[in-house]
Amino acid sequence: MDIATDPVSSPDTADAARSPHEPPVIRREDYRPFAWLVPEIALDFDLGLDKTTARASLTVQRNARADHADMIRLNGDGITPLEVKVDGEIINSWSMDGEDLMVPLVGDSHLVEVTTEIDPSANTQLMGLYASNGMLCTQCEAEGFRRITFFPDRPDVLSTYRVKMTGPKARFPVLLSNGNLDASGENADGTHWAEWHDPWPKPAYLFAMVAGDLIANTDSFTTCGRREVTLNIYVREGDLERTGHAMESLKKSMRWDEEVFGREYDLDLFNIVAVSDFNMGAMENKGLNIFNTKYVLADPDTATDGDFDAVEGVIAHEYFHNWSGNRVTCRDWFQLSLKEGFTVLRDQLFSADMGSEPVKRIEDVRILRGVQFPEDSGPLAHPIRPDSYREISNFYTATVYNKGAEVIRMMRTMANAQFGEEAFRKGCDLYFDRHDGEAATCEDFVRAIEDGAGLDLTQFRLWYSQAGTPRIQIRMNHDGDAVTLHLSQEVPATPEQPDKKPVPVPLRIALFDRASGTHRGEELIVLDKSDASFIFTGFAEPPVLSVNRGFTAPVAIDQAATPEDLVFLAAKDDDPFARYEAMQELVVDHLTQAVAGNWDDAARDAGRKSIGQALSAVLADDQLDDLMRGELLVLPSQTYLAEQVAIADPGAIHAERQALRAWLGKALEAEFVALHERASAVPYSLAAAARGARKVKTQALAYLAEGNPALAASMAAAQYGGADNMTDRQGALMVLAGLDSPERMHKLLDYYNRYRDNALVLDKWFAIQASSLHPQALEHVKALADHPEFTLKNPNRVRSLYMAFAASPQSFHAADGEGYRMIADLILALDPLNPQTAARFVAPLGRWRRIEPGRAALMRAELERIAAADKLSRDTHEQVARSLG
């Protein structure tokens, strides 16, 4: 095919020997501009749940910057043209190339009109236009628009949209699309119509449309330029009272983006719609954000403190996309981190400003280590700017989002450290000024930061092209009054990238005087070679090193710190993240040695006492707020622990981790009981002190559940019964769900009966049981899969049961392989219905190379069983093929 008319780039020509159902490889290096511009598109919809007719009118012009083509390729997926016109005349010279419509065009500009008909009620993929509980809504990122009408569905084709929607008023009283409402009216036949216009050019993936019986929480916002913006959050009847927090989060986001990044909203209207059937968290469609209800609805009785934080963060993330994603979009899908990594950083900075900066940083790093680090060390590893893909939906990953944010954060750290606090902002302003209204690349962003901030990022670009988590080894020598830090780095081999170059690694450090517990100031060093040494003078005694303070770089550190140094830092470090890191490292070192069998009973007991000493100091420190105390009490996850060894034994890791928790629960029982009692006296509010109190209450119960199960069951039951908020109630139920206690079933049944009509809270009920430490958790999941309230058609419900189970190592890694079979069965059942959601369950099985041989063989066998299935989607096929290698 003509590469100039291909959606983004050409299939790999060496891929001709692939199996018949295997999709082609798309490569970044093959990008060519599209042969035709589409400056305007008009869409006219006759709406129905079972039948919707779409008439698309495309104004097309030859692209002077692209190769000449006498044919325009309009992408389609599962649709058939009913009628095709060129310049007002019906033509029959069109043809189909696979799913795509090929229309011959001989002039330099034309009007191309295509009519299609779709059945939204049959769309279980939830991509394109689909029905959800009686309403119609869309999801077009990445390639959903082609399931609605034929169009060059690629992000570098930017168009202004005019949309007319007509439908029965009784069924669809609310008609919404992008931009501003131009006109509306009623027809004599009981239908009504609305016309929308979005004046800002956008790619097709940002198109959105909603029709349904909805009510709105309406408010307003005055921008810094005095524009009056009407704000609406649309929900179903009965949900309106739970939208207040989302609305306040939206207004805070709009003000923050003006003050911190200088970005003002650019339409008269900003609409949010909450949808219960949604593959992702939310979608930033211009002026019409469509959200998973999980990230809109919140009140104290049904939402935890974590839910409140998630609503605020996701509302902000999607709003911030108005500039970092919409006004400046990405040229092709290889540049996805351009919009997602940058916007994740922006929402992280916003959330830090709205709450506790150190706690937010710890939460972000925990997610990175729990999800992205394993991704970076497994068969699905890829750079934040990938070089190739078969199915783009598989690259909405923690690497693109979270590591992408960390890479941009490093630029911010280095720019501001060298050139002042406004340096990074200057680079961002230049990026927006240069590329407003364009489809840009990651390179465009890096160059803008270079030019605006005055920073040389030549070598830094390797972070965009290399996969893998760099490992930094640090050794410290003390000689006279001089301290020398010897640093080395290794970027491990990953699929298709066996050899790596050193990357610039910015590290904030401090050298503590052990006697006074203080340091003389923080410094930023940058390791940009394989090996380097840094010398510091004025130290009569060997100092204690605090490194990667604030987690300035997404790397793994090996500094061979002694238990004494870690206990010191856990108690004395004035950088909250470094203090947290010392606690984590103390526990990680102990558990990895214990699992490896390197310690006898005396050494194990000594290690536990060191951890107990550090934890006791955390419990007794009256200068700590409870939000931070709660973070310091969290043990490293089993997933993170498995990453610290070459080959992991999940059973041994689980046993040692729980044994340590039990030892700590017994040794510090009185302190945990006292902490729970103190925290229980704090009345409910969303203030930091009250949120912290609720956090440490649940942490105390978790330790006591291992150390004294009977006591914990009694305390948890009392907390559940007296709870006036979801955080306390869910925390208590999580503890009870893992215990063999008469209160377990009683409280689970009470919770179900109390919330059975609330889908989001019922999701929690499924997840609590699927992720519990109960020895029969696997059997519980089997039973729950047959529960009348369980369905494979709702992604939230599927994730609540099976993703929670797959993230629970002690059940998922059952020695007989039953957990692996369960997830494989799910993938095979879900793939025909919703390939995008099904594919996301492959990753846990794909970790088989890092698991001990017995379990690894069972995991691989399940992947091979999935691979052998007929008619596997390209989403799932790609993930399984890469996992098998």
Side-chain angles (χ1 to χ4, degrees):
M1 76 179 57
D2 184 354
I3 195 168
T5 62
D6 187 77
V8 172
S9 52
S10 70
D12 180 35
T13 55
D15 205 39
R18 66 182 183 271
S19 62
H21 66 280
E22 187 175 352
V25 174
I26 307 298
R27 299 193 181 279
R28 181 169 58 89
E29 65 186 10
D30 293 333
Y31 171 82
R32 299 292 186 276
F34 192 61
W36 296 89
L37 304 176
V38 187
E40 297 177 359
I41 176 174
L43 295 166
D44 190 346
F45 292 96
D46 287 331
L47 302 172
L49 291 176
D50 301 320
K51 175 184 173 183
T52 288
T53 303
R55 288 173 287 275
S57 300
L58 286 64
T59 301
V60 302
Q61 301 171 357
R62 267 188 207 285
N63 186 353
R65 296 188 300 171
D67 294 339
H68 182 86
D70 291 328
M71 189 85 67
I72 187 170
R73 175 183 293 274
L74 302 178
N75 305 121
D77 182 1
I79 55 176
T80 302
L82 301 181
E83 183 179 80
V84 180
K85 294 181 179 180
V86 174
D87 299 326
E89 299 292 329
I90 296 175
I91 66 165
N92 297 313
S93 55
W94 58 268
S95 61
M96 298 296 293
D97 182 11
E99 298 272 17
D100 295 345
L101 174 65
M102 308 296 291
V103 180
L105 299 175
V106 295
D108 291 336
S109 62
H110 298 277
L111 178 66
V112 178
E113 299 171 86
V114 183
T115 301
T116 56
E117 188 176 281
I118 50 182
D119 179 0
S121 67
N123 185 354
T124 62
Q125 293 186 31
L126 310 185
M127 288 292 291
L129 178 67
Y130 64 94
S132 174
N133 293 325
M135 64 185 287
L136 293 176
C137 57
T138 56
Q139 170 57 30
C140 292
E141 187 174 0
E143 296 176 341
F145 191 72
R146 65 185 65 188
R147 294 173 59 81
I148 299 172
T149 190
F150 291 95
F151 192 78
D153 191 5
R154 46 187 283 166
D156 62 343
V157 175
L158 307 182
S159 313
T160 59
Y161 280 65
R162 289 190 178 274
V163 179
K164 182 176 182 181
M165 306 163 64
T166 303
K169 186 174 182 180
R171 180 175 288 279
F172 307 129
V174 173
L175 303 174
L176 304 172
S177 191
N178 307 90
N180 295 318
L181 178 64
D182 271 2
S184 62
E186 298 187 12
N187 301 316
D189 61 357
T191 62
H192 70 143
W193 55 271
E195 292 183 351
W196 293 82
H197 176 227
D198 184 359
W200 299 102
K202 65 175 180 284
Y205 81 84
L206 289 171
F207 168 76
M209 180 174 70
V210 172
D213 188 359
L214 302 166
I215 56 177
N217 177 352
T218 300
D219 207 328
S220 64
F221 180 83
T222 304
T223 72
C224 58
R226 310 312 298 171
R227 179 194 290 269
E228 288 293 326
V229 182
T230 300
L231 311 177
N232 293 305
I233 298 180
Y234 286 93
V235 294
R236 297 185 184 281
E237 186 76 38
D239 288 336
L240 194 63
E241 293 182 354
R242 293 192 285 153
T243 60
H245 180 65
M247 182 62 79
E248 289 305 307
S249 299
L250 174 59
K251 291 190 289 185
K252 289 178 182 177
S253 303
M254 298 176 81
R255 182 65 65 212
W256 185 91
D257 209 19
E258 291 180 346
E259 295 172 351
V260 177
F261 278 90
R263 301 297 109 193
E264 181 183 4
Y265 189 61
D266 51 10
L267 291 169
D268 300 328
L269 192 60
F270 188 89
N271 289 325
I272 290 174
V273 178
V275 179
S276 56
D277 298 303
F278 205 70
N279 280 336
M280 308 295 280
M283 181 61 210
E284 69 267 19
N285 318 295
K286 183 75 177 181
L288 177 56
N289 285 191
I290 299 180
F291 270 66
N292 191 319
T293 51
K294 178 178 181 179
Y295 297 108
V296 172
L297 306 179
D299 65 10
D301 185 54
T302 60
T304 65
D305 294 336
D307 294 330
F308 275 94
D309 288 343
V311 168
E312 183 178 75
V314 177
I315 290 279
H317 180 94
E318 304 308 328
Y319 173 74
F320 297 154
H321 266 312
N322 186 60
W323 277 91
S324 51
N326 296 2
R327 287 284 289 266
V328 183
T329 191
C330 45
R331 185 195 71 179
D332 53 66
W333 291 120
F334 299 102
Q335 319 298 328
L336 182 59
S337 194
L338 172 71
K339 74 182 186 78
E340 294 301 346
F342 187 24
T343 305
V344 168
L345 174 64
R346 277 152 51 74
D347 82 54
Q348 290 175 348
L349 296 174
F350 165 79
S351 294
D353 284 349
M354 295 302 105
S356 167
E357 182 177 358
V359 169
K360 174 59 178 169
R361 190 66 186 128
I362 290 168
E363 291 171 349
D364 293 338
V365 174
R366 185 181 296 122
I367 293 171
L368 187 80
R369 287 173 167 170
V371 183
Q372 196 280 320
F373 276 22
E375 187 171 89
D376 235 355
S377 65
L380 303 181
H382 57 276
I384 62 172
R385 184 187 58 202
D387 293 319
S388 65
Y389 64 80
R390 293 184 187 273
E391 172 51 57
I392 185 55
S393 66
N394 288 331
F395 282 89
Y396 285 74
T397 62
T399 295
V400 166
Y401 279 63
N402 301 80
K403 185 177 180 180
E406 295 297 327
V407 168
I408 298 174
R409 186 186 288 264
M410 285 190 288
M411 289 190 228
R412 178 176 180 263
T413 297
M414 293 188 297
N416 290 352
Q418 293 184 47
F419 304 105
E421 288 299 315
E422 290 299 312
F424 180 73
R425 165 68 188 272
K426 290 177 182 177
C428 293
D429 287 348
L430 183 60
Y431 167 69
F432 288 126
D433 290 345
R434 279 180 175 174
H435 301 291
D436 188 12
E438 295 181 2
T441 65
C442 294
E443 174 59 26
D444 292 329
F445 181 83
V446 175
R447 191 179 298 116
I449 300 300
E450 273 188 322
D451 295 345
L455 194 66
D456 182 358
L457 296 171
T458 303
Q459 184 186 3
F460 190 86
R461 286 169 168 82
L462 289 168
W463 280 101
Y464 279 89
S465 59
Q466 291 186 171
T469 302
R471 302 194 68 87
I472 311 300
Q473 188 173 69
I474 303 175
R475 296 295 178 264
M476 184 172 70
N477 292 331
H478 178 255
D479 185 10
D481 74 339
V483 171
T484 303
L485 297 182
H486 301 283
L487 277 68
S488 63
Q489 67 166 290
E490 176 194 8
V491 186
T494 53
E496 300 182 10
Q497 292 188 338
D499 301 311
K500 306 293 178 67
K501 297 178 181 178
V503 294
V505 179
L507 298 169
R508 284 201 185 101
I509 67 163
L511 294 166
F512 278 83
D513 176 69
R514 191 183 302 274
S516 66
T518 62
H519 61 85
R520 65 188 187 187
E522 191 176 71
E523 298 190 45
L524 182 70
I525 61 175
V526 179
L527 173 65
D528 56 7
K529 303 178 179 66
S530 297
D531 302 273
S533 297
F534 300 84
I535 301 174
F536 307 87
T537 59
F539 294 92
E541 300 293 333
V544 179
L545 173 64
S546 171
V547 66
N548 207 16
R549 294 159 65 82
F551 200 74
T552 45
V555 298
I557 301 284
D558 173 13
Q559 60 172 318
T562 66
E564 292 76 19
D565 284 352
L566 295 174
V567 170
F568 172 90
L569 293 170
K572 302 290 187 181
D573 205 316
D574 59 343
D575 179 86
F577 178 82
R579 187 174 183 182
Y580 163 83
E581 186 76 329
M583 271 301 302
Q584 295 288 293
E585 190 172 344
L586 189 63
V587 176
V588 168
D589 288 352
H590 169 80
L591 290 176
T592 53
Q593 293 292 332
V595 169
N598 294 337
W599 283 352
D600 57 20
D601 290 343
R604 180 182 276 104
D605 189 54
R608 288 174 175 174
K609 287 180 179 178
S610 293
I611 296 169
Q613 177 186 347
L615 207 60
S616 181
V618 167
L619 293 169
D621 189 346
D622 59 7
Q623 299 301 307
L624 269 180
D625 63 77
D626 278 337
L627 278 173
M628 187 63 197
R629 194 187 321 275
E631 294 298 332
L632 294 173
L633 292 175
V634 176
L635 291 180
S637 72
Q638 187 162 329
T639 300
Y640 181 62
L641 290 166
E643 282 297 299
Q644 309 311 304
V645 295
I647 300 295
D649 182 338
I653 292 174
H654 175 68
E656 285 289 350
R657 185 175 183 272
Q658 293 309 105
L660 173 61
R661 189 191 290 274
W663 188 93
L664 293 168
K666 290 176 183 176
L668 301 174
E669 179 178 308
E671 289 94 327
F672 283 124
V673 170
L675 175 63
H676 190 276
E677 289 177 353
R678 174 181 66 76
S680 297
V682 179
Y684 180 85
S685 78
L686 288 176
R691 290 159 62 95
R694 291 189 290 275
K695 190 177 206 173
V696 297
K697 272 199 293 188
T698 296
Q699 287 293 336
L701 286 178
Y703 279 98
L704 292 169
E706 295 298 325
N708 189 338
L711 174 62
S714 174
M715 292 173 63
Q719 177 174 309
Y720 180 96
D724 62 355
N725 63 87
M726 178 55 73
T727 305
D728 281 346
R729 184 170 290 116
Q730 179 172 308
L733 190 62
M734 287 171 60
V735 171
L736 287 170
L739 298 174
D740 265 329
S741 163
E743 291 289 350
R744 178 183 182 278
M745 282 307 301
H746 178 262
K747 300 306 183 191
L748 282 169
L749 184 59
D750 176 83
Y751 188 96
Y752 174 79
N753 289 330
R754 184 189 297 254
Y755 297 111
R756 63 188 304 169
D757 295 327
N758 186 311
L760 291 179
V761 184
L762 204 56
D763 288 339
K764 299 177 189 293
W765 184 76
F766 279 94
I768 286 168
Q769 296 174 79
S771 61
S772 82
L773 298 178
H774 196 282
Q776 298 300 315
L778 196 151
E779 296 302 319
H780 296 159
V781 172
K782 289 181 182 178
L784 288 167
D786 293 328
H787 194 281
E789 296 290 347
F790 183 77
T791 174
L792 288 179
K793 293 183 178 180
N794 180 271
N796 281 356
R797 189 56 47 84
V798 173
R799 288 188 288 260
S800 72
L801 182 62
Y802 286 107
M803 198 61 81
F805 170 77
S808 180
Q810 75 281 357
S811 300
F812 175 67
H813 288 292
D816 63 358
E818 184 63 22
Y820 311 144
R821 286 191 290 276
M822 181 183 294
I823 293 301
D825 288 343
L826 167 71
I827 293 169
L828 291 170
L830 188 58
D831 189 61
L833 298 173
N834 191 327
Q836 189 176 123
T837 300
R840 294 188 177 276
F841 284 91
V842 174
L845 291 172
R847 300 293 299 154
W848 62 273
R849 288 179 180 83
R850 296 290 302 277
I851 303 298
E852 55 84 16
R855 288 180 172 90
L858 296 170
M859 296 168 79
R860 181 182 175 89
E862 294 305 325
L863 287 169
E864 290 172 341
R865 179 162 69 95
I866 298 168
D870 291 334
K871 298 181 180 179
L872 206 60
S873 72
R874 65 181 188 178
D875 306 65
T876 300
H877 179 276
E878 179 179 31
Q879 295 298 78
V880 171
R882 291 173 65 203
S883 296
L884 287 170

